[in-house]
């Protein structure tokens, strides 16, 4: 392959499909817009009942437009698959699309395996299986798992074509498909598939590595935010009274901050220098430990001996993990000796993590509080109270499980929001670091050059869009499932 | 809620009280975050002599009232030549100290401004402007007296800087709302009217898409589309927005659209749910069974109740709108309050940052108050509950 040094086109040998593809995109768009328009303006005329009592409806214009929308969409999906499969076979002969598709081969395989297995056994997969009942759920899952697999494989050293941080060739943005201009060392990938940025770093590599950065922070931050929101929202909603007044005031306090304002105030080197992030993280990480302990403590209330063992193990591991994350040489909290301190997060990242938690937790709190208020008057809660169960048992094992479905759906939506917040931090230059390949930072760096070099900001922007869209679609599909009426 | 028997006036008063308490807490929090020791240290180095040693910074700060006065023993130790630099640094206390509360009171205008003498016997103080004799200067000079402080980045009074920018941001926000609100409500109402219809099925999809498209993503996509196509538009358009009188319509349109699109789906979805819920109520069914036409039912009976929830939640959406404003203004170089906020943060311009943050928080709180009162007026059940 060493001889291929010319500039790649977008589709190469598959170029004959370009025009059909564009035409199909237009047709699909037109059909969908038409479908919405007709359903607004064409009123349905009630069909008269026939003598035997049945009703037959003619296929009016609405039905025809609906069919057109369905089939153009299916054809579009089919053609996209042809591009992906053909590209994966033809590699660089199918241009940039081919090269990208080939690099992503492990992801395609993982996706196919996942979907085949899930559809085969979807009846036995519970809530996850219900995703496969709707198109939206499946598309959402495909998008999310695409980026999840990409992140995993990048971490395993696949997919990326170059080093995400090192400059490769000349110090100028080069367009997608350009050959790498350094004298070729053996084994270096010969093209910048999606071009290179102003620092001569490979855009494709940075985009796929960005998935890893995003996956490392957003879901975990959302999870911690959920434990905070649930731990405080349950008593606020179930017990009410003064507890509710105080907690709601605190929640409203943080909700009054525009998220970005809070970031600008909080995510600064000055704040990091005071050691606030470590204290903040210590408080926030206490919530998952508390929640987990309380869950087992109430569940095993009838088996005191087992309870003491389980609870003390959880507490030990939890506190050790928490301290290991936040105790850092050279910062405000240095509790653990380095011999038992394997996990370290730099102060700045800890701060970003904590501030995302602070933005998301009040919203979760409000949601949980509302759900608890709605569930509290139900009969099974009263029954548990009559049985003499403790408050925390009722909250954690009677109220919480009945809010489960909506909370899980909400989790996906909020993870999407966490991604957006993380991106916003990057765009404002407060992100994970000056060289970090996360999507927000790349968008921020590429934005000013957008007129001449759209390939700098567009790939990370579309990556973020598709990932969050996938999360939102999953959330929407799960919410539909949870709506029995 | 224990609102039983509360009149309208009492309700509003109570909300107002909570709002003022909240405002005090919020500004105090912001004040603490912007007056951390490292911030003050930066300030000292930019306003005093740049090459100051850490202990000289501490003395500079306590002389000017930013920090509590140093203990006389510590001061003597720092002034003496017996100690090495490392020992002197070890004596310094960089934690948050009680002086902060007093400074907050001074900034607010509830406490008299700091006065002190620096070397040479010259009296300086918070309220003493350059060239004014200390005896002529006022005692109180805080926000309540209309004095927001001085911005070294813009070399102007904070109040003047913000007044000019506020109008720019207000215009952008207004356009965003004009683009978003009618579109979202119309779409939501159409979707909620008929279950299973085209709009009904497309609104959830649209909502997923729009809430996955933050301002910075839609901005990138739109600019890429507009400049790549043959429309002949060139970027940056924003260069004209940099002039003092600012933005003509095209410069507002793109940022406003970006803000509007992010919220559009969310409110369309909310309106759809609200409309469907109202249409399923008993009183609408009764009206239908009495033979009233569908149009009359929708416009006379359903619409008002269906719009309460989405409209009040738009007022509660203001934190999101302001976040969007900051991002859009920074990206498009649109010189409003959000842009100023970012500049202030970058330049360690403490009083300007405080001013902008206070302004943003007050906007949120007032919008929240309007939402509460509006919901109460529109829905008698809250009042009489």
């Amino acid at each position: 392959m060493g001889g291929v040094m010319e500039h790649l086109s977008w589709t190469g040998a598959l170029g004959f499909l370009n025009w059909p593809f564009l035409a199909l995109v237009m047709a699909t768009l037109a059909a969908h817009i038409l479908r919405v328009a007709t359903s607004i303006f064409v009123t349905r005329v009630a069909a008269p009942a026939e003598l035997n009592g049945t009703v037959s409806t003619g296929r009016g214009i609405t039905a025809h437009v609906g069919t057109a929308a369905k089939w153009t969409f299916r054809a579009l999906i089919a053609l996209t698959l042809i591009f992906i499969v053909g590209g994966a076979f033809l590699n660089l002969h199918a241009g940039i699309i081919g090269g990208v598709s080939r690099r992503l081969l492990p992801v395609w395989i993982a996706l196919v395996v996942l979907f085949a297995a899930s559809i085969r056994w979807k009846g036995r997969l519970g809530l996850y299986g219900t995703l496969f009942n709707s198109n939206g759920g499946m598309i959402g899952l495909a998008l999310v798992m695409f980026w999840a697999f990409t992140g995993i494989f990048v971490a395993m050293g696949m997919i990326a074509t170059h080093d995400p941080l090192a400059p490769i060739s000349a110090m100028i943005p080069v367009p997608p498909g350009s050959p790498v201009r350094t004298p070729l060392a053996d084994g270096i990938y010969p093209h910048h598939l999606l071009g290179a940025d102003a620092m001569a770093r490979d855009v494709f590599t940075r985009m796929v590595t960005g998935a890893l950065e995003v996956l490392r922070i957003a879901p975990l931050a959302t999870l911690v935010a959920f434990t905070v929101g649930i731990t405080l929202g349950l008593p606020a909603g179930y017990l009410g009274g003064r507890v509710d007044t105080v907690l709601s005031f605190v929640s409203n306090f943080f909700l009054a901050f525009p998220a970005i304002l809070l970031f600008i105030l909080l995510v600064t080197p000055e704040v990091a220098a005071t050691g606030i992030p470590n204290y903040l993280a210590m408080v926030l990480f206490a919530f998952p430990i508390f929640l987990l302990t309380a869950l087992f403590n109430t569940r095993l209330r009838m088996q005191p001996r087992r309870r003491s063992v389980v609870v003390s193990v959880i507490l030990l591991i939890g506190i050790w993990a928490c301290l290991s994350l936040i105790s850092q040489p050279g910062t405000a909290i240095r509790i653990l000796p380095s011999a038992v301190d394997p996990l370290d997060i730099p102060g700045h990242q800890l701060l970003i993590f904590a501030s995302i938690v602070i933005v998301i937790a009040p919203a979760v709190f409000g949601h949980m509080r509302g759900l608890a208020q709605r569930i509290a008057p139900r009969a099974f809660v009263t029954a548990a109270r009559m049985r003499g169960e403790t408050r925390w048992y009722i909250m954690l094992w009677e109220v919480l499980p009945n809010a489960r479905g909506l909370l899980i759906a909400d989790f996906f939506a909020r993870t999407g929001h966490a991604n957006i917040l993380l991106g916003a931090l990057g765009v404002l230059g407060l992100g994970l670091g000056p060289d970090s390949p996360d999507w927000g930072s790349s968008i921020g760096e590429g934005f000013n050059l957008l007129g001449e070099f759209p390939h700098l900001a567009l790939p990370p922007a579309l990556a973020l869009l598709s990932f969050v869209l996938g999360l939102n679609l999953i959330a929407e599909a799960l919410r539909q499932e949870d709506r029995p009426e | 809620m224990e609102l039983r028997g509360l009149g309208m006036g009492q309700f509003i008063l109570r909300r107002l009280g909570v709002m003022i308490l909240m405002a005090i807490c919020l500004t105090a929090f912001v004040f603490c975050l912007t007056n951390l020791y490292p911030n003050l240290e930066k300030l000292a180095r930019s306003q005093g002599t740049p090459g100051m040693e850490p202990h000289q910074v501490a003395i500079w700060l306590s002389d000017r009232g930013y920090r509590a006065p140093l203990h006389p023993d510590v001061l003597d130790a720092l002034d003496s030549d017996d100690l090495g630099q490392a020992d002197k640094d070890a004596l310094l206390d960089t934690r948050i100290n009680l002086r902060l509360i007093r400074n907050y009171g001074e900034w607010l205008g509830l406490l008299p401004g700091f006065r002190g003498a620096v070397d040479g016997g010259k009296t300086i103080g918070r309220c003493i402007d350059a060239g004014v004799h200390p005896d002529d200067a006022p005692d109180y000079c805080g926000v309540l007296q209309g004095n927001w402080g001085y911005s070294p980045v813009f070399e102007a009074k904070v109040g003047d800087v913000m007044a000019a920018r506020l109008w720019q941001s207000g215009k952008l926000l207004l356009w965003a709302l004009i683009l978003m609100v009618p579109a979202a409500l119309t779409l939501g109402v159409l979707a909620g009217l008929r279950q299973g219809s085209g709009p009904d099925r497309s609104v959830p999809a649209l909502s997923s898409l729009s809430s996955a498209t933050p301002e910075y993503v839609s901005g990138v996509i739109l600019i890429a589309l507009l400049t790549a196509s043959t429309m002949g538009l060139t970027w940056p358009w924003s260069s004209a927005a940099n002039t003092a009188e600012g933005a003509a319509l095209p410069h507002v349109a793109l940022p406003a659209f970006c803000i509007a699109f992010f919220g559009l789906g969310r409110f369309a979805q909310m309106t759809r749910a609200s409309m469907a819920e109202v249409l399923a109520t008993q009183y609408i069914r009764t009206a239908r069974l009495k033979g009233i036409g569908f149009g009359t039912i929708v416009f006379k009976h359903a619409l008002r109740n269906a719009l309460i929830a989405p409209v009040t939640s738009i007022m509660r959406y203001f934190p999101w709108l302001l976040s969007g404003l900051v991002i859009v203004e920074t990206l498009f170089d649109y010189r409003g309050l959000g842009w100023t906020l970012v500049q202030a943060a970058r330049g360690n311009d403490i009083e300007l940052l405080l001013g902008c943050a206070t302004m943003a928080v007050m906007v949120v709180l007032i919008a929240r108050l309007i939402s509460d009162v509006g919901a109460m007026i529109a829905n008698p059940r809250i009042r009489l509950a």
Side-chain angles (χ1 to χ4, degrees):
Chain A
M1 214 200 311
V4 196
M5 281 309 292
E6 72 270 24
H7 197 99
L8 291 178
S9 67
W10 276 99
T11 45
L14 293 176
F16 65 95
L17 288 174
N18 288 359
W19 285 109
F21 185 74
L22 275 181
L24 209 50
V25 170
M26 293 296 170
T28 314
L29 268 179
H32 277 85
I33 291 171
L34 213 59
R35 190 178 75 173
V36 174
T38 50
S39 68
I40 295 174
F41 297 113
V42 180
T43 44
R44 256 179 302 181
V45 185
E50 282 172 28
L51 282 179
N52 58 6
T54 58
V55 176
S56 65
T57 47
R59 289 176 52 76
I61 180 161
T62 325
H64 285 297
V65 172
T67 318
K70 199 161 79 184
W71 283 103
T72 44
F73 183 67
R74 286 186 184 171
L76 190 65
I77 298 247
L79 204 53
T80 313
L81 283 177
I82 291 178
F83 270 122
I84 292 174
V85 175
F89 273 112
L90 293 172
N91 202 356
L92 292 176
H93 297 295
I96 298 169
I97 299 280
V100 170
S101 179
R102 179 60 159 266
R103 291 306 296 184
L104 291 172
L105 194 59
V107 177
W108 304 133
I109 294 172
L111 273 180
V112 168
V113 170
L114 177 79
F115 267 70
S118 306
I119 291 174
R120 171 78 179 73
W121 288 294
K122 77 172 175 184
R124 280 193 245 157
L125 293 173
L127 194 59
Y128 167 74
T130 61
L131 283 180
F132 295 87
N133 294 341
S134 66
N135 282 337
M138 280 197 280
I139 296 174
L141 187 72
L143 288 172
V144 171
M145 289 318 290
F146 172 82
W147 287 112
F149 284 135
T150 304
I152 293 168
F153 287 123
V154 166
M156 289 160 66
M158 289 141 100
I159 296 177
T161 50
H162 300 98
D163 183 345
L165 302 181
I168 310 295
S169 38
M171 293 285 279
I172 187 175
V174 293
S178 305
V180 171
R181 260 179 281 176
T182 42
L184 273 188
D186 274 341
I188 197 168
Y189 197 80
H191 290 277
H192 289 299
L193 285 172
L194 295 181
D197 66 8
M199 312 277 282
R201 298 169 303 196
D202 188 64
V203 172
F204 174 73
T205 303
R206 285 176 71 77
M207 182 182 73
V208 292
T209 320
L212 183 61
E213 299 287 322
V214 165
L215 282 174
R216 269 208 322 225
I217 292 186
L220 201 61
T222 317
L223 197 64
V224 174
F226 262 73
T227 59
V228 176
I230 288 173
T231 313
L232 299 178
L234 272 174
Y238 177 73
L239 301 175
R242 202 161 290 164
V243 180
D244 184 26
T245 311
V246 172
L247 288 176
S248 294
F249 185 85
V250 175
S251 155
N252 280 332
F253 176 90
F254 285 107
L255 282 176
F257 273 106
I260 301 300
L261 174 62
L262 201 63
F263 288 158
I264 287 176
L265 292 173
L266 215 53
V267 187
T268 59
E270 286 83 32
V271 173
T274 55
I276 289 177
N278 300 63
Y279 293 111
L280 210 55
M282 190 142 88
V283 174
L284 294 177
F285 284 137
F287 284 96
I289 299 175
F290 173 81
L291 189 63
L292 215 57
T293 316
L295 273 173
F296 280 95
N297 196 31
T298 48
R299 184 83 223 182
L300 300 173
R301 68 205 183 289
M302 299 302 186
Q303 299 140 283
R305 187 169 282 171
R306 219 172 127 207
R307 177 172 79 168
S308 340
V309 174
V310 171
V311 165
S312 45
V313 167
I314 292 175
L315 272 178
L316 264 177
I317 295 181
I319 291 175
W320 169 76
C322 166
L323 284 181
S324 163
L325 275 175
I326 58 178
S327 131
Q328 225 77 217
T331 58
I333 299 181
R334 300 169 294 267
I335 302 170
L336 286 188
S338 53
V340 285
D341 188 2
L343 305 168
D344 270 336
I345 311 180
H348 187 64
Q349 281 193 24
L350 207 56
L351 195 52
I352 289 176
F353 189 91
S355 45
I356 291 179
V357 173
I358 290 178
V359 171
I360 294 180
V364 181
F365 167 85
H367 192 202
M368 184 71 246
R369 176 174 171 267
L371 288 172
Q373 276 174 343
R374 219 184 309 157
I375 295 171
R378 302 256 288 266
F380 58 84
V381 178
T382 318
R385 211 179 295 150
M386 296 300 117
R387 277 204 313 270
E389 304 288 3
T390 60
R391 288 166 171 185
W392 276 100
Y393 177 85
I394 297 175
M395 284 190 261
L396 291 174
W397 292 102
E398 302 285 346
V399 178
L400 186 58
N402 283 284
R404 186 186 52 202
L406 283 176
L407 282 178
I408 293 175
D410 201 40
F411 177 78
F412 286 96
R414 303 253 180 244
T415 310
H417 186 209
N419 277 309
I420 288 176
L421 292 174
L422 191 61
L425 276 169
V427 167
L428 289 178
L430 304 169
L432 297 168
D435 275 336
S436 159
D438 72 290
W439 295 332
S441 305
S442 307
I443 295 173
E445 283 168 23
F447 199 88
N448 290 329
L449 299 168
L450 208 47
E452 300 144 272
F453 304 105
H455 72 274
L456 303 182
L458 212 46
L462 292 177
L464 189 95
L465 172 61
S466 60
F467 186 48
V468 181
L469 176 63
L471 288 165
N472 285 350
L473 287 174
I474 290 180
E476 188 58 38
L478 290 177
R479 265 183 217 133
Q480 294 294 339
E481 285 296 327
D482 203 74
R483 213 171 279 154
E485 56 273 28
Chain B
M1 294 190 85
E2 65 280 16
L3 285 175
R4 195 184 302 274
L6 274 189
M8 185 76 153
Q10 271 172 301
F11 176 81
I12 294 177
L13 271 182
R14 175 181 273 208
R15 286 284 139 159
L16 214 57
V18 173
M19 187 186 116
I20 290 171
L21 182 64
M22 190 65 95
I24 291 173
C25 292
L26 285 165
T27 45
F29 180 70
V30 174
F31 193 86
C32 289
L33 278 182
T34 48
N35 281 279
L36 292 170
Y37 193 80
N39 297 89
L40 294 176
E41 192 175 357
K42 253 191 184 169
L43 177 92
R45 288 185 193 284
S46 65
Q47 290 189 3
T49 31
M52 283 193 281
E53 301 287 348
H55 74 273
Q56 286 168 320
V57 169
I59 295 171
W60 192 92
L61 287 174
S62 64
D63 279 351
R64 281 158 186 77
Y66 289 102
R67 305 272 299 172
L70 294 170
H71 194 272
D73 297 345
V74 175
L75 207 55
D76 287 341
L78 289 181
D79 278 337
S80 73
D81 295 330
D82 307 339
L83 289 173
Q85 193 60 50
D87 296 324
K88 284 185 178 176
D89 292 351
L91 282 174
L92 300 178
D93 177 18
T94 60
R95 287 173 301 181
I96 289 176
N97 68 23
L98 283 177
R99 179 80 206 183
L100 203 61
I101 299 172
R102 210 186 129 181
N103 284 352
Y104 173 66
E106 288 177 16
W107 174 79
L108 212 57
L110 290 176
L111 295 175
F114 172 84
R115 276 166 193 247
V118 280
D119 32 53
K122 197 174 139 214
T123 308
I124 52 157
R126 208 190 126 77
C127 300
I128 306 170
D129 292 333
V132 177
H133 191 270
D135 296 341
D136 301 336
D139 286 337
Y140 296 85
C141 55
V143 173
L144 294 177
Q145 285 81 31
N147 188 342
W148 291 83
Y150 180 80
S151 156
V153 168
F154 289 92
E155 295 178 341
K157 285 192 158 180
V158 170
D160 298 342
V161 175
M162 287 202 301
R165 310 290 174 184
L166 194 62
W167 165 234
Q168 291 288 330
S169 286
K171 201 159 67 172
L172 184 53
L173 199 59
L174 194 67
W175 276 110
L177 285 172
I178 289 175
L179 280 174
M180 179 175 82
V181 177
L185 295 185
T186 316
L187 218 60
V189 167
L190 284 176
L193 282 184
R194 217 191 289 148
Q195 284 202 333
S197 64
D200 187 40
R201 273 180 296 164
S202 44
V203 161
L206 174 80
S207 161
S208 298
L209 180 68
S210 98
S211 46
T213 318
E215 300 84 3
Y216 52 91
V217 168
S218 48
V220 166
I221 294 173
L222 280 176
I223 293 171
L225 280 180
L226 291 175
T227 49
S229 66
T230 47
M231 298 172 86
L233 295 166
T234 48
W235 188 255
W237 298 348
S238 58
S239 49
N242 299 347
T243 56
E245 72 274 20
L249 185 61
H251 309 117
V252 184
L254 202 53
F257 179 84
C258 290
I259 297 177
F261 188 69
F262 190 34
L264 180 71
R266 182 191 171 91
F267 290 112
Q269 178 87 311
M270 206 173 279
T271 317
R272 165 179 170 266
S274 172
M275 191 72 200
E277 197 182 314
V278 169
L279 284 183
T281 51
Q282 293 290 331
Y283 79 96
I284 295 289
R285 215 172 80 181
T286 311
R288 261 187 169 166
L289 290 175
K290 281 185 171 175
I292 301 174
F294 191 59
T296 320
I297 289 181
V298 170
F299 283 104
K300 255 188 108 177
H301 301 283
L303 204 56
R304 185 183 144 134
N305 283 334
L307 290 186
I308 294 175
V311 169
T312 48
S313 49
I314 285 173
M315 297 310 285
R316 296 211 149 228
Y317 185 70
F318 259 75
W320 294 58
L321 286 175
L322 295 185
S323 283
L325 212 57
V326 176
I327 291 181
V328 157
E329 286 183 5
T330 313
L331 279 183
F332 290 83
D333 205 14
Y334 182 96
R335 313 246 159 138
L337 208 59
W339 179 85
T340 314
L341 180 75
V342 173
Q343 299 308 312
R346 287 185 183 154
N348 193 42
D349 192 338
I350 294 178
E351 285 186 316
L352 183 59
L353 186 57
L354 257 173
C356 291
T358 307
M359 201 64 98
V361 164
M362 288 314 289
V363 169
V364 171
L365 289 182
I366 290 170
R368 199 186 265 181
L369 185 72
I370 294 174
S371 144
D372 286 348
V373 174
M376 185 180 152
I377 293 171
N379 185 357
R381 271 175 303 178
I382 299 180
R383 219 174 332 171
L384 303 173

